[in-house]
Amino acid sequence: MTIALQVVLIAGAALASGQLQESFQVPSTSHCQPTKSIAIVGGGSGGLAILKTIFDLPEELRNCWEVVLFEQRRNVGGVWLPDPPGPLPRPPNLPESPLYPLLHTNTPHPTMTYPNFTYPPNTPLFPSHEYVERYHIDYAEHHDLTPHIRVHHRVVSANWIGDGVEGKWDLEVQVEPDVGQVVNVRHSFDHLIVANGHNHYPHIPVWNGTEGWLANTPPGTPEREILHSVYYRLPEKYRNRTVVIVGAGGSGRDAALQVGKTARVAYQSLTPRNEPTPGAHVVPKPRIAYFTNTSVVFEDGTSLDDVDSLILGTGYDLRIPFLSPPHSTVLAVDPETAYNSTTAQTLISNLRYIFPTHRHIFSLSPQLPPTALAFVGLPVLVANCPSDIAQSLLVAHALANASVLPSREAMLRELAAREAALQREGLDPYYVGHRLVSEAESDHDYQDGLVEYLKDVGALPHDGRKFVEPWRRAGRRDW
């Protein structure tokens, strides 16, 4: 069974073509009156995981469900899908992807796989992005997920019409049925699952003096620039330049390894707890303090007056525009918020942490029922595919039977206890966010805990096995 959606045309968009798409179809799982409607946002590893896991439920549990996945780009694959053809956007416009051509995985691919779905034979142990992109496409095709996936569909806004007990989602989706055509469609859903990833909105540190430094490029040298790693593509651009790479995370490490080989000199600006990237041709420097018209000045008082370029490997802000003002009021954004998980009266992002949520998944905002809004893929420092499946198992069973979850009050108490445990370890839960860095909360323990909970409440059978296979644990230790 399919349901047509209401259409809203964007003013002036492609009216001359005469071929605007008037609706798109939301598939249901059988030919009967729909009993539940579910929208999934994002076609990366998290979106594919929850879509597949929903259809793994017994048919009697999901009979007559409508399920659709909206992906704003041209295909599935998420962060592993490269830029479309054409020039890279310049700031403030953002590229579709942070992917750079030399990107490889930094962990062996067997540890990254969805359960029971391996990479093809002869895949390099640390594959390039092309292999990982293909893996996600193969997963969607193998499990016949593509009929439920709508590419070139960008969710513009998602508003909850209801209260903390019942209601519906009102989604506005921007569709590109053809080049030069834009159509906005609306539809209501019972449940919204957000799986749109982390690496979209660059975190840009603010230093005094950057405008003056950028405006005073010395004659005969490349124009000075400060660019986030989301714009980084190839190291050849930095040949014979003096470059400062800020950060030691994944993109900072790769930039150091690649640019260090081509730059005249490459420096890596680090926090006190970080070390220079092993194997990189870089000179370590402390954090940047400020800029002058001629120099980059560091916290130890040293300065460099010959820097041409800065590459900011400074991570990403945790934003979900379609849930936040001005498009929606579901998710407040406040990096300086004084609220915590106990006092918050709505869902909040401080740009590092979305709270309050149950086990990094279900919104505990009093304005929504707990199963109305779920996130798949918020945890960081995990192997995404297996973690996404573990989360998806809890989501799918909770959608089928909301009583699988404890009461909101019990889930809030559990969240408060987790945050208190982090504080006892000297960690600020509102800075750590969704990073699984606690000794008591490894990524594998987190995944096992989700699945063991489902067994304890009778949603899954006790089979005597852990969700995380022993070889995955061994593989993570070895690498």
Side-chain angles (χ1 to χ4, degrees):
M1 182 172 184
T2 57
I3 294 181
L5 280 71
Q6 176 187 354
V7 178
V8 180
L9 298 186
I10 293 180
L15 295 178
S17 71
Q19 297 180 342
L20 289 172
Q21 178 172 315
E22 295 184 355
S23 68
F24 68 85
Q25 306 297 319
V26 179
S28 68
T29 55
S30 63
H31 298 284
C32 56
Q33 185 65 30
T35 60
K36 193 183 296 289
S37 55
I38 303 166
I40 302 166
V41 183
S45 65
L48 296 180
I50 182 58
L51 184 59
K52 193 258 186 185
T53 304
I54 286 173
F55 290 113
D56 283 346
L57 289 171
E59 188 171 354
E60 63 270 18
L61 292 182
R62 58 175 171 83
N63 193 35
C64 298
W65 287 11
E66 294 175 356
V67 187
V68 61
L69 184 153
F70 298 116
E71 168 53 53
Q72 66 180 355
R73 302 184 64 198
R74 66 190 183 279
N75 207 342
V76 300
V79 72
W80 300 100
L81 182 64
D83 297 315
L88 191 69
R90 296 284 298 176
N93 297 315
L94 294 173
E96 287 189 9
S97 170
L99 185 148
Y100 36 93
L102 298 179
L103 179 64
H104 287 65
T105 69
N106 58 7
T107 53
H109 69 74
T111 67
M112 300 168 53
T113 54
Y114 292 112
N116 305 310
F117 194 80
T118 63
Y119 276 76
N122 301 316
T123 299
L125 188 59
F126 296 90
S128 64
H129 64 86
E130 293 92 347
Y131 289 91
V132 188
E133 176 195 359
R134 185 70 245 175
Y135 176 80
H136 286 84
I137 294 171
D138 289 346
Y139 188 80
E141 293 177 348
H142 178 80
H143 294 294
D144 197 26
L145 304 180
T146 52
H148 298 270
I149 297 171
R150 300 290 177 266
V151 297
H152 292 302
H153 283 59
R154 182 174 71 89
V155 176
V156 177
S157 65
N159 286 280
W160 180 250
I161 311 301
D163 54 27
V165 178
E166 61 182 2
K168 289 272 192 179
W169 286 101
D170 176 40
L171 261 64
E172 182 178 348
V173 183
Q174 187 177 93
V175 185
E176 296 183 28
D178 203 350
V179 177
Q181 296 180 338
V182 181
V183 179
N184 273 25
V185 295
R186 305 186 80 94
H187 188 58
S188 64
F189 292 89
D190 299 311
H191 304 276
L192 176 62
I193 302 170
V194 177
N196 62 339
H198 294 267
N199 302 322
H200 299 294
Y201 304 101
H203 175 71
I204 309 294
V206 176
W207 295 286
N208 289 333
T210 53
E211 290 185 4
W213 183 81
L214 288 168
N216 284 277
T217 299
T221 66
E223 183 178 0
R224 287 174 171 173
E225 65 177 12
I226 302 174
L227 285 179
H228 191 274
S229 61
V230 73
Y231 297 98
Y232 171 76
R233 290 300 179 266
L234 290 169
E236 286 74 19
K237 170 183 174 178
Y238 300 95
R239 188 172 302 280
N240 297 322
R241 295 190 186 189
T242 298
V243 182
V244 175
I245 299 155
V246 180
S251 55
R253 288 195 302 268
D254 278 1
L257 288 167
Q258 296 171 19
V259 174
K261 297 176 182 178
T262 61
R264 180 170 61 247
V265 183
Y267 299 89
Q268 191 172 15
S269 174
L270 303 162
T271 62
R273 66 180 182 273
N274 289 132
E275 298 290 332
T277 300
H281 301 290
V282 295
V283 178
K285 298 293 289 183
R287 289 182 293 200
I288 294 172
Y290 60 92
F291 290 70
T292 70
N293 285 357
T294 59
S295 302
V296 182
V297 183
F298 298 89
E299 289 186 346
D300 63 354
T302 62
S303 63
L304 298 171
D305 59 9
D306 61 345
V307 174
D308 301 304
S309 303
L310 278 82
I311 301 172
L312 306 182
T314 48
Y316 295 83
D317 290 337
L318 189 47
R319 300 179 183 272
I320 306 176
F322 59 83
L323 288 178
S324 303
H327 306 292
S328 173
T329 59
V330 171
L331 176 65
V333 179
D334 184 358
E336 306 298 330
T337 182
Y339 288 104
N340 59 37
S341 293
T342 302
T343 61
Q345 295 303 303
T346 187
L347 204 61
I348 300 174
S349 172
N350 67 2
L351 303 184
R352 300 183 65 89
Y353 186 36
I354 292 177
F355 65 92
T357 62
H358 176 58
R359 300 197 181 189
H360 309 282
I361 301 173
F362 294 100
S363 164
L364 297 180
S365 165
Q367 299 178 8
L368 309 170
T371 61
L373 174 60
F375 300 91
V376 174
L378 283 182
V380 183
L381 305 179
V382 301
N384 292 105
C385 291
S387 179
D388 293 340
I389 290 290
Q391 290 190 309
S392 295
L393 285 166
L394 182 56
V395 173
H397 283 279
L399 295 185
N401 178 7
S403 67
V404 162
L405 295 180
S407 67
R408 188 197 309 271
E409 292 73 22
M411 290 188 284
L412 283 168
R413 288 194 297 270
E414 180 183 320
L415 175 58
R418 174 190 176 269
E419 293 179 353
L422 287 171
Q423 290 171 336
R424 288 194 295 271
E425 292 186 41
L427 301 170
D428 179 356
Y430 296 88
Y431 181 82
V432 168
H434 302 286
R435 292 162 178 79
L436 301 188
V437 295
S438 168
E439 293 182 2
E441 190 183 39
S442 74
D443 61 333
H444 290 153
D445 292 338
Y446 170 74
Q447 295 165 38
D448 279 342
L450 295 175
V451 178
E452 288 303 309
Y453 172 80
L454 286 170
K455 295 176 182 179
D456 290 342
V457 299
L460 291 176
H462 276 285
D463 56 5
R465 296 181 296 177
K466 295 290 189 181
F467 172 78
V468 179
E469 305 96 319
W471 62 264
R472 286 192 197 267
R473 287 184 177 269
R476 178 60 61 86
R477 287 194 303 268
D478 292 343
W479 291 98

